[in-house]
Structure formats: structure tokens, C-alpha cells
């Protein structure tokens, strides 16, 4: 009898711990305020009622440049739904200033909101890395769901966005 009860207890304990870990609230997206390239204020309040992908990037980053067409496509694929992309550029070097970000955005006709984090305060509050691109997926309640360091697996990202939109 002891041989059955002990493993059963262990299974119940592990199951309970897993359920507890999964039930924990996700952290809220950090508060911030930036001005986008159109002069409009951009903040975490813009996340409410929309699934949001916050993309941290800069114009001379090879990975950032490589993923940008995929982000543009994603924006189009979810147009008219409760999804948005916010692109926040960081100044990692002198050739990645506001004018370079503005020129890059205009040349490529980026369809989503773009902002420049001149002091890097927003990127520091969201990221535990200095690797770019990095994207943060935020749910409709403004809670951080997942952080993608590097170019995400877009098929998996689409599945996650679809699951969140279905809630």
C-alpha cells in the first residue's frame, strides 16, 4: 500500500505545483511614454484591448532588417483585428539616430507606429538583453506573455497571436 501511496502523492504534488505556476499572473507591461514619428504619444495604455507585439530594433541591425518585411506582412495579415505592432528603435550607435529611423521607416513605408527610444529607457524597462531584434508579446489586458530574443519563429508567433485573439 505504501508503494502506491508515495508515488501517487508525488504525482499529485508535482501536478499541483505545475498548476500553481501556470495560474500565476503575467507581469504587467512596464509603463512608458514616447512620441512616435508622427508626433503622437505612445504608451502602455495603447495596449489595452489589443494584442500587441512591441518590437525593439535599429536600422543597421542585420536581424532587424531581415525580420522587418515579416513584421510588415504580419501587420497586414492582422489588419482590422485587435492586434498591433509597435516598433521602438534604440540608438545603439551614432548611425542609428532619429533621422536614420525616420528615413528607414519612410523608405520602407512601415505601416505600424514607430518610435525612437533616445534614452533607451523603454528598452531597458522591457528587456533583460542588449540583443536586437527583441520583441515582446503583450495580451489585451497589458500583461507580458512572451519575449522573443532574435527573429521569432513567425509560424509559432502567429499561433500565439491567434490563440490570444480567440480569448
Amino acid at each position: 500500500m505504501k508503494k502506491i501511496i508515495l508515488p501517487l502523492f508525488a504525482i499529485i504534488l508535482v501536478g499541483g505545483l505545475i498548476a500553481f505556476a501556470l495560474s500565476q499572473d503575467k507581469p504587467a507591461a512596464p509603463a512608458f511614454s514616447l512620441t512616435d514619428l508622427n508626433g503622437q504619444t505612445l504608451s502602455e495604455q495603447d495596449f489595452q484591448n489589443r494584442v500587441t507585439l512591441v518590437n525593439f530594433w535599429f536600422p543597421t541591425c542585420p536581424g532587424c532588417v531581415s525580420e522587418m518585411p515579416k513584421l510588415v506582412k504580419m501587420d497586414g495579415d492582422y489588419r482590422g483585428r485587435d492586434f498591433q505592432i509597435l516598433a521602438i528603435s534604440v540608438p545603439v550607435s551614432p548611425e542609428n539616430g532619429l533621422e536614420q529611423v525616420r528615413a528607414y521607416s519612410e523608405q520602407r513605408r512601415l505601416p505600424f507606429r514607430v518610435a525612437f527610444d533616445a534614452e533607451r529607457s523603454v528598452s531597458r524597462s522591457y528587456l533583460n538583453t542588449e540583443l536586437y531584434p527583441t520583441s515582446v508579446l503583450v495580451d489585451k489586458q497589458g500583461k507580458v506573455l512572451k519575449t522573443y530574443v532574435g527573429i521569432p519563429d513567425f509560424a509559432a508567433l502567429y499561433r500565439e497571436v491567434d490563440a490570444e485573439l480567440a480569448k
Side-chain angles (χ1 to χ4, degrees), residues 19-127:
F20 176 76
L22 293 175
S23 70
Q24 295 301 301
D25 283 338
K26 302 285 185 190
F32 73 94
S33 181
L34 288 174
T35 302
D36 70 14
L37 297 184
N38 295 320
Q40 301 295 313
T41 301
L42 175 64
S43 77
E44 79 286 350
Q45 295 300 311
D46 293 300
F47 300 168
Q48 296 303 311
N49 302 315
R50 301 186 87 186
V51 176
T52 303
L53 185 67
V54 185
N55 177 256
F56 293 92
W57 68 288
F58 60 93
T60 60
C61 160
C64 304
V65 170
S66 174
E67 88 171 343
M68 200 56 74
K70 295 171 186 156
L71 292 172
V72 169
K73 180 182 182 322
M74 186 175 207
D75 182 79
D77 290 343
Y78 286 103
R79 180 93 7 150
R81 298 183 65 194
D82 292 331
F83 174 79
Q84 66 183 336
I85 296 173
L86 305 175
I88 299 177
S89 186
V90 293
V92 297
S93 65
E95 65 270 3
N96 290 296
L98 177 59
E99 290 312 311
Q100 289 79 11
V101 171
R102 188 177 305 282
Y104 183 96
S105 299
E106 288 172 2
Q107 289 168 356
R108 286 155 184 85
R109 297 182 181 156
L110 298 184
F112 36 79
R113 293 179 74 184
V114 178
F116 183 65
D117 185 12
E119 303 300 319
R120 297 175 76 175
S121 60
V122 178
S123 62
R124 285 190 190 107
S125 69
Y126 274 78
L127 309 179

Side-chain angles (χ1 to χ4, degrees), residues 53-56 67 71 133-137 146-150 152:
L53 185 67
V54 185
N55 177 256
F56 293 92
E67 88 171 343
L71 292 172
T134 295
S135 297
V136 178
L137 187 62
K146 191 167 187 178
T147 299
Y148 303 89
V149 178

